[in-house]
Amino acid sequence: MKVWSVAKVNKERAIAMANKLEIPPLLAMMLDIRGITKEEDVINFLQENKDFSDPFLMKDMDKAVERITTAVENGEKICVYGDYDADGVTSTSLLYSYLRDSLGADVMFYIPTRTGEGYGMNKGAVDKIHSLGVTLIITVDNGISAREEIDYANSLGIDTVITDHHMPSGAIPKAVAVVNAHQQDDKSPFKDFSGVGVAFKLVMAIEGEYADVDSLLENFSDIATLGTIGDIVPLVGENRTLVKNGLRHIQNSDRIGINAMKQESGIAEKEINSSNVAFTLVPRINAGGRLGSSEKSVNLLLTEDEDEAVTIADKLGMDNRERQSIEKEILASIDEEVRRTPNIVNDKILVFAGRGWHQGVVGIAASRIKDIYDKPTIIIGIDDDGVARGSGRSVEGFSLCDAVFACSEHLTHYGGHPMAVGISLEKEKINDFRKAINAYCKDIKMPYNILHIDCKLNPNQLDLSILDCLSYIEPCGASNPSPIFGLYNMTIIATKEIGNGKHMRITLSRGQGQVPVYAVYFNHNFQSCSYRNGDIVDVAVSLDRNIYNGQENLSVIIKDIKYSQSNNEELIDSERIFDKFAKRYKLTKNEVMSILPTRNDFAYVYRFLKQNKGFIYGEYALVNALNYKISMGKLIVILYSMKELGLINWQQGLYQSIVEMKESGKVNLEDSVFIKKLKEGI
């Protein structure tokens, strides 16, 4: 359950800007919402900007260039050491191809396997690289935490140049050069690059003072765009310049591998934007590393053989579909665990672990669970040999990497940034880690999972002209999100499952005589969506262009739904009080009273459930059906007490919460142990 936040806009200022610069008023308002309010900033945002800061402002860039140039001139063997995700794959591809094709270097690349080796450098890999005669390792998208591994490489006579964008944790490794804008004494003005962005800056630096940036963008911005979008870094500043150029080159690509991937994924004839790159191309690049080796993803981006490109693209498409199937299995296992031990979801940070859960898919599963419960989530897969590796995703405003770093005593390896983390630990330490990370945030008021709405929209305004206007905001992504509009007080008049039951088409109307709105709700079906025909709802939507039978249509894509009467903030606060009680944290008297039901509250809920022969749509829908006369926390207490007293069966799961009535005689509410424990806090 998300808290909706409608952006504030200075309409008078936006209209004045629209008139002055002769741009559409809606575009001016979208820019105003994003804080782009000065004439100079608006012009810079909208125009084709190819300005990059001096790469030598990055700490150690001069040392990195000197060591790499020396290695090339002396014919030393160089290894580009990458990572298995889209950012690591593209970083590897970009730097390797530049060193090989532009400088004629003796260069190889190495990407560790996710399941066998895990993230970052490892000593076994260093041994392999050493045996091949490598004297210089250049890391891309990793290395900032590889202190021991780089010391080991030094002992073997291998120099290392680190290029990374992850937050440093502890001492900086003793490499020849460490290029990372997050170092304290780094002077570069832009610090939010992905790994491939840092690699691009390195190439700029090697090219020297008179680097032909236009040529570099033409050669590498398509690859850089895939990694930049894939790593969800802010699409502002120099990242925006990279991606804006890259989208154009992906649209009209002469890179055989990218064209093969576009064809296999079904977007070859579509307009390329940041959204279909993020949800279509990036998952395929990631799929290779998630299920096996990332080498084929690198080869796809480097190949000049059309048959090879088609073969690899088809294989990555198959890998992506297999990944989706594995993800579904992991979520089904978590669903079973929640049904067995529903108390687990009362934690502030959710931690799930399972044997055999694929290391390459746990991060995506964590993102799904985070969206369901609106809580930071870490999911850990345990290998047959007992090695446990996990991946976590956070909500805006809570630094998950800080929480993980605070619990490092339980971990053997860890890293990441505020919104995403990776960890390794012994399987015996999982419960200790779960307790420690929740103890860390015990006294922290966790932020709401916020859904940012740009503005309310009259459904009669929905047409393709809006997309023509919004195209100027592209590329969209982190820090420059795709606009989301709120359609308020809409009545659901029809629902239908589509895509073999994976998605829903929901038909909405503002009222009699109004043109209906046909919207798609991806990754939701009748099981996971509690809304029914006749419900009055607010709908948050994004807009896209769809071409069907040669005709352009407006696609309305649902991002979230809430009941129009609902105050989600109050519901969440009430549920969090119950969470505190469930985890045996001390409540204030006011908190106890806010979730302690009266006999009349019990009677009201019981009568409703009996009249309706139970309820299958979940607690949020039940609060709405009860006309918000019962708070969320109080309702959960009532349901637990009714279950304890044998009045109902209550099955809680990821997607569905079902209440079934049971045949029973009279019961005494005072017999509920649940209620007795709650009253102890008064």
Side-chain angles (χ1 to χ4, degrees):
M1 190 189 312
K2 297 178 177 62
V3 171
W4 289 22
S5 175
V6 180
K8 291 180 172 59
V9 59
N10 187 322
K11 289 186 179 180
E12 293 76 15
R13 181 173 60 198
I15 295 299
M17 186 68 71
N19 292 334
K20 187 170 186 178
L21 298 181
E22 297 182 346
I23 61 176
L26 179 61
L27 174 59
M29 285 193 286
M30 293 296 106
L31 296 176
D32 193 276
I33 287 166
R34 285 156 175 73
I36 306 169
T37 59
K38 296 180 180 178
E39 181 178 348
E40 179 184 358
D41 293 337
V42 171
I43 292 171
N44 287 337
F45 184 88
L46 296 177
Q47 73 181 5
E48 192 67 33
N49 184 359
K50 293 184 180 178
D51 292 335
F52 286 89
S53 63
D54 182 354
F56 286 99
L57 291 174
M58 298 185 77
K59 178 178 169 58
D60 280 4
M61 185 66 86
D62 54 342
K63 297 177 183 177
V65 170
E66 181 181 0
R67 182 63 185 91
I68 293 168
T69 302
T70 298
V72 174
E73 291 174 349
N74 293 340
E76 295 180 55
K77 193 170 187 65
I78 302 170
C79 177
V80 177
Y81 193 108
D83 184 30
Y84 39 68
D85 66 1
D87 190 18
V89 164
T90 53
S91 303
T92 303
S93 303
L94 189 156
L95 187 57
Y96 171 83
S97 62
Y98 171 75
L99 293 173
R100 182 192 66 180
D101 301 332
S102 297
L103 301 187
D106 181 5
V107 61
M108 60 170 285
F109 68 84
Y110 188 94
I111 298 180
T113 60
R114 184 187 293 260
T115 54
E117 298 172 89
Y119 170 77
M121 292 183 70
N122 65 82
K123 292 180 181 179
V126 173
D127 283 333
K128 293 177 190 175
I129 292 167
H130 178 252
S131 71
L132 296 172
V134 168
T135 55
L136 174 63
I137 294 173
I138 309 172
T139 72
V140 286
D141 191 34
N142 74 97
I144 195 63
S145 60
R147 291 177 288 274
E148 292 183 11
E149 293 78 8
I150 288 172
D151 286 345
Y152 183 63
N154 290 336
S155 73
L156 297 176
I158 302 175
D159 287 341
T160 305
V161 168
I162 295 173
T163 74
D164 201 354
H165 72 113
H166 294 97
M167 299 295 293
S169 58
I172 301 298
K174 296 176 182 178
V176 171
V178 179
V179 180
N180 184 323
H182 294 295
Q183 296 179 89
Q184 287 186 347
D185 47 354
D186 183 274
K187 296 179 180 179
S188 54
F190 187 75
K191 301 185 181 298
D192 290 323
F193 282 116
S194 61
V196 74
V198 179
F200 184 83
K201 296 285 284 193
L202 175 63
V203 169
M204 281 182 60
I206 295 172
E207 285 287 286
E209 182 179 358
Y210 301 105
D212 185 348
V213 177
D214 287 342
S215 178
L216 292 179
L217 287 170
E218 184 175 347
N219 288 333
F220 299 118
S221 65
D222 54 351
I223 294 179
T225 290
L226 295 170
T228 300
I229 291 176
D231 216 52
I232 321 179
V233 291
L235 290 190
V236 296
E238 296 182 40
N239 283 340
R240 178 174 171 81
T241 301
L242 262 181
V243 173
K244 198 167 188 177
N245 283 274
L247 289 175
R248 186 173 66 250
H249 287 113
I250 293 173
Q251 182 79 62
N252 304 297
S253 182
D254 58 3
R255 200 177 297 276
I256 294 171
I258 287 180
N259 286 332
M261 192 163 46
K262 285 164 57 181
Q263 193 70 43
E264 187 278 332
S265 64
I267 65 169
E269 306 304 320
K270 293 186 177 182
E271 179 182 357
I272 297 298
N273 55 36
S274 53
S275 180
N276 52 35
V277 167
F279 295 106
T280 306
L281 300 184
V282 168
R284 283 164 169 76
I285 294 173
N286 274 327
R290 292 189 187 283
L291 300 186
S293 169
S294 295
E295 186 173 341
K296 55 179 173 286
S297 298
V298 176
N299 289 336
L300 177 69
L301 296 176
L302 298 178
T303 186
E304 295 181 359
D305 184 299
E306 289 192 13
D307 290 338
E308 182 184 19
V310 170
T311 299
I312 297 174
D314 288 346
K315 181 64 172 70
L316 290 178
M318 292 172 58
D319 286 346
N320 191 49
R321 288 185 287 277
E322 183 181 354
R323 184 271 303 168
Q324 292 170 334
S325 177
I326 293 170
E327 176 193 339
K328 189 175 180 180
E329 292 173 2
I330 293 174
L331 294 178
S333 296
I334 294 174
D335 182 43
E336 291 178 7
E337 183 173 358
V338 171
R339 290 175 185 275
R340 289 193 308 270
T341 55
N343 182 266
I344 197 171
V345 302
N346 299 124
D347 284 337
K348 287 187 173 183
I349 298 178
L350 304 182
V351 179
F352 294 97
R355 185 171 291 280
W357 291 356
H358 201 291
Q359 307 289 347
V361 186
V362 291
I364 298 176
S367 182
R368 297 275 189 249
I369 300 298
K370 183 264 295 184
D371 287 339
I372 291 172
Y373 289 105
D374 299 302
K375 294 181 177 184
T377 301
I378 298 172
I379 297 185
I380 300 167
I382 305 169
D383 291 343
D384 290 338
D385 58 4
V387 176
R389 299 189 185 96
S391 188
R393 300 293 182 269
S394 193
V395 298
E396 181 182 342
F398 181 78
S399 176
L400 191 54
C401 68
D402 286 350
V404 166
F405 292 171
C407 304
S408 60
E409 66 198 77
H410 302 287
L411 306 173
T412 56
H413 200 91
Y414 56 93
H417 49 81
M419 296 299 290
V421 297
I423 63 171
S424 299
L425 70 167
E426 298 171 5
K427 66 177 182 178
E428 293 81 9
K429 295 288 187 69
I430 292 174
N431 285 333
D432 291 338
F433 171 71
R434 180 188 288 114
K435 292 175 182 176
I437 200 166
N438 276 282
Y440 167 84
C441 59
K442 178 181 177 182
D443 297 321
I444 295 175
K445 179 174 171 49
M446 299 295 283
Y448 302 115
N449 198 7
I450 303 290
L451 179 68
H452 296 281
I453 310 288
D454 285 84
C455 65
K456 298 180 180 180
L457 197 65
N458 187 319
N460 291 331
Q461 297 174 290
L462 291 172
D463 60 45
L464 285 169
S465 64
I466 293 181
L467 290 182
D468 296 333
C469 169
L470 298 180
S471 64
Y472 292 99
I473 298 177
E474 283 280 350
C476 294
S479 297
N480 181 39
S482 297
I484 295 180
F485 301 99
L487 306 179
Y488 284 72
N489 296 307
M490 306 293 290
T491 301
I492 297 177
I493 58 177
T495 57
K496 180 183 179 181
E497 289 187 339
I498 58 175
N500 296 319
K502 293 193 296 185
H503 317 297
M504 292 181 69
R505 179 180 290 116
I506 300 179
T507 306
L508 304 143
S509 177
R510 176 67 68 81
Q512 193 169 11
Q514 296 286 314
V515 176
V517 175
Y518 301 97
V520 177
Y521 201 11
F522 286 114
N523 298 313
H524 286 271
N525 54 24
F526 288 145
Q527 182 187 28
S528 62
C529 181
S530 63
Y531 299 95
R532 299 167 288 171
N533 293 351
D535 285 342
I536 299 173
V537 296
D538 301 336
V539 187
V541 302
S542 64
L543 307 175
D544 201 358
R545 196 184 306 269
N546 182 42
I547 300 176
Y548 184 71
N549 289 335
Q551 183 176 354
E552 286 190 347
N553 300 286
L554 181 71
S555 289
V556 180
I557 302 161
I558 296 174
K559 296 298 183 181
D560 197 24
I561 309 177
K562 71 181 185 70
Y563 295 105
S564 293
Q565 294 184 67
S566 173
N567 184 324
N568 283 8
E569 193 168 330
E570 287 185 1
L571 292 171
I572 293 168
D573 286 343
S574 180
E575 186 173 21
R576 286 180 174 180
I577 293 172
F578 174 81
D579 286 346
K580 285 177 64 178
F581 168 66
K583 303 311 291 186
R584 299 184 180 179
Y585 296 156
K586 185 172 178 58
L587 304 185
T588 66
K589 183 176 180 179
N590 286 340
E591 287 175 331
V592 172
M593 296 308 297
S594 73
I595 65 171
L596 180 63
T598 66
R599 184 173 294 275
N600 287 338
D601 293 331
F602 270 101
Y604 179 58
V605 174
Y606 183 77
R607 282 195 302 269
F608 176 89
L609 293 174
K610 190 171 183 179
Q611 288 168 3
N612 290 274
K613 298 180 180 179
F615 200 77
I616 64 171
Y617 301 104
E619 295 80 46
Y620 178 37
L622 182 52
V623 168
N624 182 73
L626 294 167
N627 297 312
Y628 299 93
K629 293 180 180 179
I630 305 290
S631 72
M632 177 64 82
K634 191 176 290 187
L635 175 65
I636 297 173
V637 170
I638 291 172
L639 293 177
Y640 268 114
S641 299
M642 285 184 172
K643 180 179 180 180
E644 177 194 348
L645 295 170
L647 296 172
I648 61 171
N649 283 323
W650 182 24
Q651 299 176 13
Q652 298 166 267
L654 285 184
Y655 309 109
Q656 209 170 27
S657 179
I658 300 174
V659 177
E660 297 173 329
M661 302 305 294
K662 292 176 67 176
E663 293 293 332
S664 59
K666 288 186 177 182
V667 298
N668 184 356
L669 298 179
E670 301 302 321
D671 291 338
S672 168
V673 175
F674 214 79
I675 296 296
K676 289 177 181 178
K677 287 182 178 179
L678 186 55
K679 285 182 176 180
E680 289 174 1
I682 298 177

